[in-house]
Amino acid sequence: MPNRPNTASTRYELLARELEQQITAGVLRPGDRLPSVRQACTSRGLSPSTVFQAYYLLESRGMVRAVPRSGYFVAARTGGALLPEPQTSQPQSASQPVELNDLIYACLGTTRSRNIVPLGSAFPSPTLFPLDRLRRALISSMRRLDPWRMAGDLPPGNLQLKREIAKRYLRQGFAVATDEIVLTHGAMEALNLCLNAVARPGDAVVVESPTFYVALQALQRLGLRAIEVPTHVREGIDLGRLAQVIELYRPKACWLMTTFQNPLGSLMPEAKKRDLVDLLARHDLPLIEDDVYAELYEGNTAPLPAKAYDRRGLVLHCSSFSKCLAPGYRIGWAAPGRWALEVQRLKLMTSLSGSIPVQAALAEYLQEGGYDRHLRGLRQSLQAQRDSLFDAVTRLFPDGTRMVRPAGGYFVWVELPGGVDAMVLHRAALAQRISLAPGPMFSARAEFQHHIRLTCGQPWDATLERATRTLAQLVDDAPRTAALVQPLI
Amino acid sequence: MPNRPNTASTRYELLARELEQQITAGVLRPGDRLPSVRQACTSRGLSPSTVFQAYYLLESRGMVRAVPRSGYFVAARTGGALLPEPQTSQPQSASQPVELNDLIYACLGTTRSRNIVPLGSAFPSPTLFPLDRLRRALISSMRRLDPWRMAGDLPPGNLQLKREIAKRYLRQGFAVATDEIVLTHGAMEALNLCLNAVARPGDAVVVESPTFYVALQALQRLGLRAIEVPTHVREGIDLGRLAQVIELYRPKACWLMTTFQNPLGSLMPEAKKRDLVDLLARHDLPLIEDDVYAELYEGNTAPLPAKAYDRRGLVLHCSSFSKCLAPGYRIGWAAPGRWALEVQRLKLMTSLSGSIPVQAALAEYLQEGGYDRHLRGLRQSLQAQRDSLFDAVTRLFPDGTRMVRPAGGYFVWVELPGGVDAMVLHRAALAQRISLAPGPMFSARAEFQHHIRLTCGQPWDATLERATRTLAQLVDDAPRTAALVQPLI
């Protein structure tokens, strides 16, 4: 290869240095797209190879990242500027009945208005989904739908849709029989039916701490007891503690999100997932695995669920298309392992069947084969949105704030500095027309009083930047109840 | 008015007599349509007024009935040929836990194949429904649907659809607030959520005897006890016995079908519905009213539900569009009176929300205003189908068979003669590719061993006639276990 002339090397280094300064100064922020190579060539009179070299250099320094078919984006900050991690929860881990107050409903009620900046919403922006293509699939499947299937598909549900789901398991490298799959009204129904199948009133069930409030509601509704187990903000539930509470309280099931947990965003490493399955197998203990965020990973390889390691039919795997494809369609499923027949029957006796038209539409969409392309785009959008939110909180929130950047999903878990009360912040934010999810929603005993969950389900824009700035100001202004004391285990 | 010549009077009487003979001989059967006036004029060289006079004469004798915009149909047999009524059930009416075996699932599984004559199916023929117009409404509503509603309509559900439901209550003469209405996945979810809202594990709930098996499944799933109360085949649950069991067992709720009960087809008279509501009000006892067949009446006036007489918010009224408009869409609702907020919350925590596209489609269809026209046609079809099935059983089943013709809905309840075992008949019929619903499905203790439920959800044809004849032959051939002993109360 001929030596490049010195001037060219200077040019790409100059461009790289200039962009680096803009990133450091915050002109270009995490999640922002760099100018396209063509734009940079035109505006600066450079050759494409010069621009590429500059971008490669920035990539090698971890300052930008390439997104196939989309371009180069400013990467999330790492290194010195990073906030410390939130501390791992230290719940009491006793087996206790669940008695929730109105907090969860009140908080959920605040996220509905379009005039509120939805940092507390559990729903991503509809603009992230291929609503037009889904609509076309619905129209075309309705044109072709045999009227007899309107009644004939009741009970079992759309077989083609089950096959498409089974094929997606297979592509991940493990088999789930089409017959095992029970179609449900979203993952929420799947989770509720699975819980109903494995536990009787009075039984204890292990959940994470913090945990998704729907798990707590389900436990309360079915008269079950909760055992909240410490959960690491990056690596999920503490297996040592889990082993102890199994011995101590003899729970009848675990309800966990092993991949991109809500609210933490934690991703249990694969080896740990295998250890988890082994531990549960030793006690013949079923795992209800809520896996709705599994498709929202970074990089090129989907994290495997615990279900992938299950050899004994103990994992009741629940997922849906609501977070990654079709939010309003309400189509989910359970692959309940050895409880498949029981869950099928519970489905039959509680809501009979799913809605035939939307099941047919989704089956048609999946057969057309555009789903993986959509998912790649969605993952990129979410990665940029996580970067932007993470960066904004890092820049704007006061000292003492703790947070890690999750590797997938929609949520960022933030520990507020100096004992700021999440409920006080929640109310102050609402007065400014900003929603957030206060920590006490995620605990049977309203713990996490100094934590909030923020959602990055919306494309980042000036409104979100402004709202995050306002939140940061409210945190700064809030009364500091006490310096947080490090718990003594 | 000039006197009509004698010959004309002879002509219409001759025509009437001829038709009467055909009806008596079974050439024309209940549910069959008479030739149109135009056809009769052309084929016999008569004037329209002569044909009309003949038809009026037959109508005055109760042999045919006029159906607006459809013509004249042979009426169901009355008088001497009628079978005796099935005896009113005499269940033990103790409060007892529900422990169902696999019978219900096994029976439900037999009705799915298209190769089986569906006399046991709970699903009516899809040909009875305006599937094309619904499909057009779905397509047009999807074209116009604001993508934000895909997420924004979650939790509350489609407001326009709730308004259309509220308007239908209002047209019946009583008000249900739009806010009270909770949209659900079919009536089955509504019923389950309502039951969950009013009773805790261990509580007792009153049901009819026989009762819809879904009620029994729901009681079992929630750990509730059942009190089965005698129910009259035409007039519904025995209020005297109900008053006794309320005093005796202090149930926490009743789950009843006051209009066209499944499986009996009984219709509680309005005065009795008022008495029922008064009785429950005296004990502050909630009534879960399963009213899915309400639209399928005969004549011009819809029977009012018990809900219409409720002044204290005690009636949780549940219904759906599955039996009268859109079977595969799975859209139902609850109007849960004073438990509205509780049922809303249970909905939120068990399946979040309905499917947005199908809700929007149904709202659009209802706004277009063709629903009442469809219902008029559906009622006429069902009336003819009930006539045909009732007539066929009357003609073909052996002596000792008991049955009444229900005034609405899809089902006919048949008491088999001489102790013929319904399960034996069920298995023999299946071997001939005919399904039926054996009586033991409708009781917590597998009573009604000599009863079957037949469905008239399909337009009557030679296949159904043949199947009924086969069933009758199987009844005739079946071993007669014992003469039925009249219970001593």
Side-chain angles (χ1 to χ4, degrees):
Chain A
M1 199 193 283
N3 282 334
R4 290 176 180 283
N6 200 34
T7 48
S9 123
T10 308
R11 273 187 199 145
Y12 85 77
E13 283 174 354
L14 276 174
L15 175 56
R17 198 173 312 147
E18 187 188 320
L19 289 168
E20 192 169 346
Q21 281 165 353
Q22 290 187 350
I23 292 168
T24 315
V27 179
L28 285 170
R29 286 187 183 147
D32 285 353
R33 186 199 299 245
L34 297 194
S36 74
V37 174
R38 181 185 298 192
Q39 283 171 335
C41 292
T42 311
S43 65
R44 294 162 191 269
L46 297 172
S47 74
S49 75
T50 305
V51 176
F52 270 119
Q53 276 182 294
Y55 287 9
Y56 292 156
L57 184 62
L58 289 172
E59 195 181 8
S60 73
R61 291 180 188 161
M63 304 204 67
V64 308
R65 57 185 172 75
V67 173
R69 276 179 305 280
S70 287
Y72 284 83
F73 291 79
V74 179
R77 258 161 242 250
T78 52
L82 262 190
L83 299 179
E85 278 185 17
Q87 299 171 48
T88 295
S89 61
Q90 299 294 344
Q92 211 186 310
S93 293
S95 165
Q96 57 198 342
V98 182
E99 281 164 25
L100 304 172
N101 54 26
D102 291 348
L103 172 66
I104 293 169
Y105 301 103
C107 291
L108 292 178
T110 62
T111 60
R112 268 191 224 137
S113 162
R114 273 198 218 178
N115 302 321
I116 290 195
V117 185
L119 284 169
S121 173
F123 302 110
S125 164
T127 60
L128 296 172
F129 301 103
L131 296 179
D132 266 337
R133 283 210 51 196
L134 283 168
R135 186 196 312 235
R136 284 202 299 275
L138 181 53
I139 291 170
S140 116
S141 67
M142 281 309 281
R143 290 224 171 90
R144 296 189 294 98
L145 190 67
D146 171 2
W148 283 92
R149 286 179 49 197
M150 277 298 178
D153 274 358
L154 289 171
N158 188 300
L159 182 62
Q160 190 54 45
L161 180 55
K162 291 191 192 187
R163 280 202 206 103
E164 293 294 327
I165 293 168
K167 270 155 62 180
R168 296 195 70 80
Y169 280 116
L170 212 55
R171 237 179 297 163
Q172 278 205 287
F174 64 104
V176 170
T178 308
D179 276 355
E180 185 186 331
I181 294 166
V182 183
L183 296 177
T184 57
H185 295 297
M188 199 184 282
E189 191 189 38
L191 292 160
N192 272 281
L193 296 177
C194 288
L195 186 63
N196 205 168
V198 298
R200 297 283 157 270
D203 287 348
V205 174
V206 169
V207 295
E208 289 137 338
S209 168
T211 188
F212 181 33
Y213 47 78
V214 163
L216 299 173
Q217 291 173 322
L219 296 182
Q220 180 179 29
R221 192 175 63 82
L222 295 171
L224 299 164
R225 303 167 70 83
I227 307 171
E228 294 174 300
V229 170
T231 304
H232 189 272
V233 72
R234 277 187 288 98
E235 305 205 335
I237 196 164
D238 179 332
L239 290 189
R241 201 77 191 91
L242 175 58
Q244 288 171 3
V245 303
I246 291 174
E247 295 288 354
L248 212 53
Y249 300 109
R250 301 283 163 200
K252 286 299 191 306
C254 300
W255 170 322
L256 307 177
M257 295 182 83
T258 57
T259 299
F260 313 133
Q261 197 252 11
N262 179 359
L264 290 178
S266 58
L267 168 62
M268 191 181 280
E270 303 222 339
K272 190 172 170 186
K273 280 178 181 157
R274 194 179 292 122
D275 292 345
L276 167 68
V277 171
D278 288 348
L279 171 64
L280 299 180
R282 283 199 295 282
H283 297 274
D284 210 41
L285 193 58
L287 167 63
I288 298 168
E289 186 173 31
D290 179 356
D291 207 21
V292 294
Y293 302 108
E295 296 282 11
L296 308 180
Y297 54 89
E298 295 183 358
N300 297 316
T301 314
L304 286 173
K307 174 85 175 172
Y309 303 105
D310 178 30
R311 297 283 163 271
R312 304 192 38 202
L314 279 171
V315 179
L316 303 92
H317 188 248
C318 299
S319 193
S320 82
F321 295 103
S322 304
K323 311 292 185 186
C324 47
L325 177 61
Y329 282 56
R330 304 299 306 141
I331 298 184
W333 71 90
R338 65 168 86 151
W339 288 273
L341 181 65
E342 181 70 15
V343 171
Q344 244 166 49
R345 288 184 166 188
L346 285 168
K347 169 70 190 171
L348 196 64
M349 68 168 86
T350 52
S351 65
L352 186 62
S353 157
S355 180
I356 304 298
V358 288
Q359 287 188 359
L362 218 53
E364 169 132 349
Y365 174 87
L366 294 173
Q367 280 175 280
E368 279 173 4
Y371 186 36
D372 286 303
R373 192 164 357 115
H374 156 67
L375 282 175
R376 282 194 295 273
L378 177 62
R379 284 180 203 120
Q380 289 163 15
S381 302
L382 285 178
Q383 186 160 351
Q385 291 167 207
R386 277 188 302 270
D387 280 351
S388 298
L389 177 62
F390 182 75
D391 172 66
V393 174
T394 308
R395 272 186 289 117
L396 302 169
F397 269 49
D399 281 356
T401 302
R402 290 163 172 264
M403 170 181 62
V404 292
R405 185 181 172 290
Y410 285 109
F411 303 119
V412 172
W413 183 246
V414 179
E415 186 175 319
L416 302 172
V420 167
D421 187 307
M423 292 308 299
V424 172
L425 181 64
H426 168 59
R427 284 186 289 268
L430 263 190
Q432 307 279 341
R433 312 200 67 71
I434 302 165
S435 72
L436 56 82
M441 289 176 76
F442 303 95
S443 149
R445 288 182 305 172
E447 293 183 275
F448 305 105
Q449 287 172 21
H450 313 293
H451 296 74
I452 59 174
R453 186 197 70 184
L454 298 178
T455 305
C456 44
Q458 315 288 322
W460 195 257
D461 61 7
T463 307
L464 287 167
E465 172 78 19
R466 244 193 332 268
T468 314
R469 188 178 298 275
T470 305
L471 269 191
Q473 192 58 53
L474 292 172
V475 173
D476 224 8
D477 296 347
R480 308 211 161 189
T481 53
L484 271 180
V485 178
Q486 178 81 26
L488 296 168
I489 310 296
Chain B
M1 201 197 280
N3 282 334
R4 289 173 182 284
N6 199 33
T7 48
S9 122
T10 310
R11 274 188 197 142
Y12 84 78
E13 282 174 352
L14 277 174
L15 174 57
R17 198 172 313 146
E18 187 189 321
L19 289 168
E20 192 169 342
Q21 281 164 353
Q22 290 188 350
I23 292 169
T24 313
V27 180
L28 284 170
R29 284 187 185 150
D32 283 353
R33 187 200 298 248
L34 297 194
S36 73
V37 173
R38 182 185 298 193
Q39 285 171 331
C41 291
T42 310
S43 64
R44 292 160 193 268
L46 297 172
S47 72
S49 76
T50 303
V51 176
F52 270 119
Q53 274 181 296
Y55 287 9
Y56 292 158
L57 183 62
L58 290 171
E59 195 181 8
S60 73
R61 291 180 187 160
M63 304 202 67
V64 306
R65 55 184 173 76
V67 172
R69 276 178 305 279
S70 288
Y72 283 83
F73 291 79
V74 179
R77 258 162 242 249
T78 53
L82 261 190
L83 300 179
E85 278 185 17
Q87 298 170 50
T88 296
S89 61
Q90 299 294 345
Q92 212 185 310
S93 293
S95 165
Q96 57 197 341
V98 182
E99 280 163 26
L100 304 172
N101 55 27
D102 290 349
L103 171 65
I104 292 169
Y105 301 103
C107 292
L108 292 180
T110 63
T111 61
R112 269 192 222 137
S113 161
R114 275 198 218 177
N115 302 321
I116 290 197
V117 185
L119 284 170
S121 173
F123 300 110
S125 164
T127 59
L128 296 173
F129 301 102
L131 295 178
D132 265 337
R133 284 210 50 195
L134 282 168
R135 185 195 315 234
R136 285 203 299 276
L138 181 53
I139 291 170
S140 117
S141 68
M142 283 308 283
R143 291 224 170 91
R144 295 189 294 99
L145 190 67
D146 171 1
W148 284 93
R149 287 179 48 196
M150 278 296 179
D153 274 359
L154 290 171
N158 188 300
L159 183 61
Q160 189 56 43
L161 180 56
K162 292 191 192 187
R163 280 202 206 104
E164 293 294 327
I165 293 167
K167 270 155 62 181
R168 294 194 72 80
Y169 280 116
L170 212 54
R171 237 180 297 163
Q172 278 204 287
F174 64 105
V176 169
T178 308
D179 276 356
E180 184 185 331
I181 294 166
V182 183
L183 296 176
T184 58
H185 295 297
M188 199 184 282
E189 189 187 40
L191 292 160
N192 273 281
L193 297 178
C194 287
L195 187 63
N196 205 168
V198 298
R200 298 284 158 268
D203 287 347
V205 174
V206 169
V207 295
E208 288 135 340
S209 167
T211 188
F212 181 34
Y213 47 78
V214 163
L216 299 172
Q217 292 173 321
L219 295 182
Q220 180 178 30
R221 192 175 62 84
L222 295 172
L224 299 165
R225 303 168 70 83
I227 306 171
E228 295 175 299
V229 170
T231 303
H232 188 274
V233 73
R234 277 187 288 98
E235 305 205 335
I237 196 166
D238 181 331
L239 291 190
R241 201 76 191 94
L242 175 58
Q244 288 171 0
V245 302
I246 292 173
E247 294 288 352
L248 212 54
Y249 299 110
R250 301 283 161 199
K252 286 300 192 304
C254 301
W255 170 324
L256 306 177
M257 295 182 85
T258 57
T259 299
F260 312 134
Q261 198 253 11
N262 179 358
L264 290 179
S266 59
L267 168 62
M268 190 181 282
E270 303 222 340
K272 190 173 170 187
K273 281 179 181 156
R274 194 179 292 123
D275 290 346
L276 167 68
V277 171
D278 288 347
L279 171 64
L280 300 180
R282 283 198 295 281
H283 296 274
D284 211 42
L285 193 59
L287 167 63
I288 298 167
E289 185 174 30
D290 179 356
D291 206 21
V292 294
Y293 301 109
E295 297 281 12
L296 308 179
Y297 54 89
E298 295 183 358
N300 296 314
T301 314
L304 286 173
K307 175 85 172 172
Y309 303 105
D310 177 29
R311 297 284 162 273
R312 301 191 40 199
L314 278 170
V315 178
L316 302 92
H317 188 249
C318 298
S319 193
S320 82
F321 295 102
S322 303
K323 309 293 182 185
C324 47
L325 177 61
Y329 281 56
R330 304 299 306 141
I331 298 185
W333 71 91
R338 63 168 87 152
W339 288 273
L341 181 65
E342 180 71 15
V343 171
Q344 246 167 48
R345 289 185 166 187
L346 285 167
K347 167 70 189 171
L348 196 64
M349 67 169 89
T350 52
S351 66
L352 188 61
S353 156
S355 180
I356 303 299
V358 287
Q359 286 188 359
L362 218 52
E364 170 132 348
Y365 174 87
L366 293 173
Q367 279 175 282
E368 279 173 2
Y371 186 36
D372 285 303
R373 194 166 353 118
H374 156 67
L375 283 176
R376 280 193 297 273
L378 177 63
R379 283 181 204 122
Q380 289 162 16
S381 303
L382 286 178
Q383 184 159 353
Q385 290 168 206
R386 277 189 301 271
D387 279 351
S388 299
L389 177 62
F390 181 76
D391 172 65
V393 174
T394 307
R395 272 187 288 119
L396 302 169
F397 270 49
D399 282 355
T401 302
R402 290 163 173 261
M403 169 181 61
V404 293
R405 185 182 173 287
Y410 284 109
F411 303 119
V412 173
W413 183 245
V414 179
E415 184 175 318
L416 302 172
V420 167
D421 187 309
M423 291 307 301
V424 172
L425 181 64
H426 167 61
R427 285 187 288 268
L430 263 190
Q432 306 279 339
R433 312 201 68 69
I434 301 165
S435 73
L436 56 82
M441 290 175 75
F442 303 95
S443 148
R445 289 182 304 173
E447 295 183 273
F448 305 103
Q449 287 172 21
H450 313 294
H451 296 73
I452 58 173
R453 185 198 70 184
L454 299 178
T455 305
C456 43
Q458 315 289 321
W460 196 258
D461 61 9
T463 307
L464 287 168
E465 173 78 18
R466 243 188 338 265
T468 313
R469 188 179 299 275
T470 306
L471 269 191
Q473 191 59 53
L474 292 172
V475 173
D476 225 8
D477 296 346
R480 308 212 161 189
T481 53
L484 270 180
V485 179
Q486 177 81 27
L488 296 167
I489 309 296

